[in-house]
Amino acid sequence: FFDAVHLNSVRTMKFLLLSAVLLTFVYGQPPPQQQRCMETPAQWIGVLHEHNFEANGGREPEIRHNYFYYDATNERVNITEYEIFEPSGRSELIQELYFFRDETMYRIEGRRCEKQSLNETFHPYGLREARFFGREILGAVNPGLGVLVDGFHDERDGGFYHGFWAPIRTTSDRECIPVLEDYVRLEGPVPRRVNAHFTFLNVSVVTTASPFPPSTFTIPPECIPPPRKN
């Protein structure tokens, strides 16, 4: 009887010791460290596939496929968007030019151009005060197939932000690109877009060797009033 009790005590001690070692290993590990994601390059091009949660039963487009040209150096943005309205399936092609320094916006739809005042401050595309919460593999975990991304979360102005960003190989350790973003009761990367999900595709950094396409930020002729006749 004594040997059986002694043997059980030894087993119990071994179990407790092993549990303590495992707990120390699991909980003693340092949390995953943020990579280098803080802000995007100053100039880049990409495709923003947008799901608009403010579609309002067809009064607003539910899907937008945005060709996005971002120029923080000169504080300007060009968005050429293909809009799809549900449930009708109607589609439209619209271009929007934002010149923050001039406080001017142009909206071109077909041959019509509307010039509007832009009373908004330009904010460089970055994470601002978002908090890093972990690292994930986007897609397959098999070597060479997935993308290692950092996850961020933010609560501000009564809304929520969730995003996954991936480092980009440049000379700066702070630069990265967004991959997935959700804005809930917050304005997204496109001015005046609230409550939307964005998937980023085909992002490329603008350089001297690979500049913006010609006339990216040229005001279309339909937006220029004809000269006055004397």
Side-chain angles (χ1 to χ4, degrees):
F1 176 79
F2 175 78
D3 290 340
V5 172
H6 178 70
L7 182 60
N8 288 335
S9 299
V10 171
R11 289 176 177 171
T12 302
M13 290 297 294
K14 286 182 178 180
F15 174 77
L16 293 175
L17 180 60
L18 179 60
S19 299
V21 171
L22 290 175
L23 288 173
T24 301
F25 176 77
V26 173
Y27 292 100
Q29 293 296 304
Q33 296 299 308
Q34 177 179 338
Q35 295 182 80
R36 53 182 182 175
C37 291
M38 293 300 296
E39 58 192 22
T40 70
Q43 297 177 320
W44 55 276
I45 299 170
V47 175
L48 279 66
H49 187 75
E50 174 188 354
H51 186 94
N52 175 23
F53 297 109
E54 294 288 310
N56 297 324
R59 285 174 289 179
E60 288 283 332
E62 184 170 340
I63 301 295
R64 291 186 177 102
H65 203 65
N66 305 287
Y67 292 88
F68 190 75
Y69 305 86
Y70 172 81
D71 182 5
T73 303
N74 300 290
E75 298 186 359
R76 56 188 184 176
V77 175
N78 177 344
I79 304 168
T80 301
E81 57 191 51
Y82 179 71
E83 299 183 341
I84 300 176
F85 294 77
E86 297 293 350
S88 66
R90 179 172 61 90
S91 62
E92 293 181 355
L93 184 64
I94 297 173
Q95 183 184 19
E96 294 178 342
L97 289 167
Y98 297 86
F99 297 95
F100 289 87
R101 290 182 181 174
D102 297 333
E103 299 182 346
T104 303
M105 170 199 169
Y106 297 91
R107 178 182 171 89
I108 303 97
E109 185 175 354
R111 299 297 299 175
R112 301 195 316 271
C113 177
E114 181 182 0
K115 182 179 179 180
Q116 303 177 13
S117 296
L118 183 63
N119 299 317
E120 299 182 28
T121 302
F122 178 84
H123 295 288
Y125 206 142
L127 289 161
R128 303 188 193 179
E129 303 299 324
R131 298 185 297 277
F132 170 75
F133 67 79
R135 185 176 299 170
E136 303 289 348
I137 298 292
L138 182 65
V141 298
N142 304 70
L145 296 182
V147 178
L148 183 63
V149 294
D150 284 356
F152 295 89
H153 171 74
D154 191 16
E155 298 180 27
R156 64 176 185 270
D157 304 326
F160 300 89
Y161 167 82
H162 297 273
F164 291 95
W165 292 57
I168 191 167
R169 296 179 184 274
T170 67
T171 57
S172 172
D173 288 339
R174 292 174 56 87
E175 291 184 344
C176 58
I177 56 172
V179 179
L180 300 172
E181 289 192 308
D182 289 293
Y183 294 84
V184 180
R185 296 190 299 275
L186 288 176
E187 185 176 87
V190 179
R192 305 173 187 176
R193 304 277 176 84
V194 181
N195 288 335
H197 168 82
F198 294 88
T199 302
F200 293 76
L201 309 168
N202 303 329
V203 175
S204 63
V205 179
V206 172
T207 63
T208 304
S210 180
F212 285 112
S215 71
T216 295
F217 294 103
T218 300
I219 300 174
E222 54 265 34
C223 297
I224 302 174
R228 293 182 179 180
K229 295 181 181 181
N230 294 328

